Amino acid sequence: MTERSFLIPEGLDGERIDAALSRLLGLSRSKAAQIAAEGGVHIDGALAQKSSRVTGGARVDVIMPEPEKPLSIVADPVPGMKILYEDPAIIVVDKPIGVAAHAAAGWSGPTVIGGLAAAGHKIATSGAAERQGIVHRLDVGTSGVMVVAKGEHAYSVLKRAFKQREVDKTYHALVQGLPDPVVGTIEASIGRHPRRDGLYAVRSEGKHAITHYTLLEAFRSASLLEIDLETGRTHQIRVHMSATKHPCCGDLPYGADPVLAQRLGLERQWLHAVRLGFVHPESGEYVEFESQYPADLQNALDHLRAAAGE
């Protein structure tokens, strides 16, 4: 381990120490927070917490951890992952829950890229070593349709299409209660949660986010919504629905009722990427792919429908 010392620029006065370290040292904010939480940061000689605020001109001493080994693609079969479509440019998969899009620090489970590699599929080499071919992601606990680029040109075109919001991303979410109005738009910026690592929240200083929703089916305790994302922020649907007091059923980290989750047999958020539409990067034609509900989500919905018919 090595130690680094520096003075806080006046422009960072009042920032949290994890945010300041992220900017000054090029670390991820979560990594900076971890260093502080493990006692590796001192401000003017005093031990800092990850939520400590810095002042301009303060001296900061940081014990830097050893560099982590670079991430890479590990070929590992993913049971239950289906190929919905494949051609020389793209491959479209139906991602199960418990699977990440690609390798990441702290994640040792299966990945979409690893599953494709294990099955012998060739993908684009563009992108970071551990996420080659990845043009968008789904949360580990969110299932549904996802596209991966196989060719370099397809990677470039699709990355640009997602960035410029030219891709139609439709989800279904079972949320608690009944949203009012039943057709609406949520526009609220999203940033990292100030007190809970790994979670996000509506934050004025966060990234702009827009979610459109329409009621599909209403039950006594929950509502099935169709959701179209105009932006693609991390945990966007989960954060926006939680902020409106209608969290996704089963989404305990974002305030869902554990009693209802247990009654519906849910061990994750009821959220599924049902449809993905975009202009094909080679043919120029609009294509659309759909994914059916997995068993756990369908069973929860069947339970509500049965109760409504009693």
Side-chain angles (χ1 to χ4, degrees):
M1 293 187 179
T2 59
E3 183 171 326
R4 293 187 61 180
S5 301
F6 50 87
L7 299 180
I8 295 294
E10 294 295 336
L12 294 183
D13 185 77
E15 285 271 14
R16 279 173 51 124
I17 186 63
D18 53 355
L21 292 181
S22 177
R23 294 190 185 187
L24 293 170
L25 300 178
L27 303 170
S28 68
R29 188 163 173 177
S30 59
K31 185 62 178 179
Q34 180 184 350
I35 294 172
E38 294 174 352
V41 181
H42 288 75
I43 303 175
D44 287 336
L47 183 65
Q49 305 300 318
K50 63 182 180 182
S51 58
S52 296
R53 301 281 174 174
V54 298
T55 56
R59 176 189 170 91
V60 176
D61 301 303
V62 183
I63 299 175
M64 299 292 292
E66 294 296 330
E68 296 179 348
K69 293 181 179 180
L71 297 170
S72 60
I73 296 174
V74 177
D76 191 17
V78 177
M81 187 171 75
K82 302 174 184 176
I83 304 300
L84 299 177
Y85 174 83
E86 183 177 13
D87 66 23
I90 63 174
I91 184 165
V92 182
V93 304
D94 194 350
K95 187 187 87 67
I97 62 167
V99 180
H102 56 76
W107 176 253
S108 59
T111 66
V112 169
I113 294 302
L116 292 177
H121 297 278
K122 302 297 183 182
I123 55 177
T125 58
S126 300
E130 77 279 7
R131 61 182 74 181
Q132 292 176 354
I134 292 291
V135 293
H136 74 122
R137 294 177 293 179
L138 295 178
D139 292 344
V140 170
T142 299
S143 51
V145 61
M146 182 176 163
V147 62
V148 177
K150 292 181 64 180
E152 310 309 320
H153 180 255
Y155 177 87
S156 177
V157 172
L158 288 174
K159 283 289 284 187
R160 184 169 60 251
F162 275 96
K163 184 176 182 179
Q164 296 180 350
R165 305 178 187 178
E166 297 171 346
V167 177
D168 297 320
K169 298 169 286 187
T170 303
Y171 295 73
H172 283 184
L174 186 70
V175 304
Q176 294 181 192
L178 179 65
D180 183 16
V182 294
V183 177
T185 294
I186 304 168
E187 185 170 359
S189 297
I190 294 175
R192 291 185 180 275
H193 197 289
R195 295 179 299 278
R196 302 180 65 188
D197 289 345
L199 298 186
Y200 291 76
V202 168
R203 306 276 288 169
S204 60
E205 70 277 19
K207 295 181 179 179
H208 186 231
I210 302 176
T211 301
H212 306 285
Y213 69 87
T214 302
L215 177 69
L216 294 179
E217 200 169 352
F219 306 98
R220 293 174 188 170
S221 56
S223 301
L224 181 64
L225 305 181
E226 180 161 288
I227 296 176
D228 292 296
L229 292 184
E230 191 168 321
T231 53
R233 308 307 179 196
T234 303
H235 295 188
Q236 180 172 322
I237 295 173
R238 300 168 66 190
V239 170
H240 274 177
M241 298 317 302
S242 177
T244 60
K245 310 301 181 185
H246 298 288
C248 296
C249 293
D251 196 359
L252 304 190
Y254 283 104
D257 179 6
V259 175
L260 178 60
Q262 184 176 26
R263 180 158 61 89
L264 297 179
L266 291 172
E267 296 182 355
R268 51 111 168 190
Q269 66 267 19
W270 204 114
L271 180 61
H272 186 67
V274 295
R275 192 158 52 250
L276 188 66
F278 52 89
V279 173
H280 192 283
E282 299 297 345
S283 71
E285 297 180 358
Y286 185 82
V287 292
E288 192 171 78
F289 305 96
E290 296 188 354
S291 167
Q292 301 299 311
Y293 300 154
D296 62 333
L297 302 191
Q298 187 63 57
N299 290 340
L301 202 55
D302 290 343
H303 180 92
L304 288 172
R305 287 170 175 162
E310 291 177 353

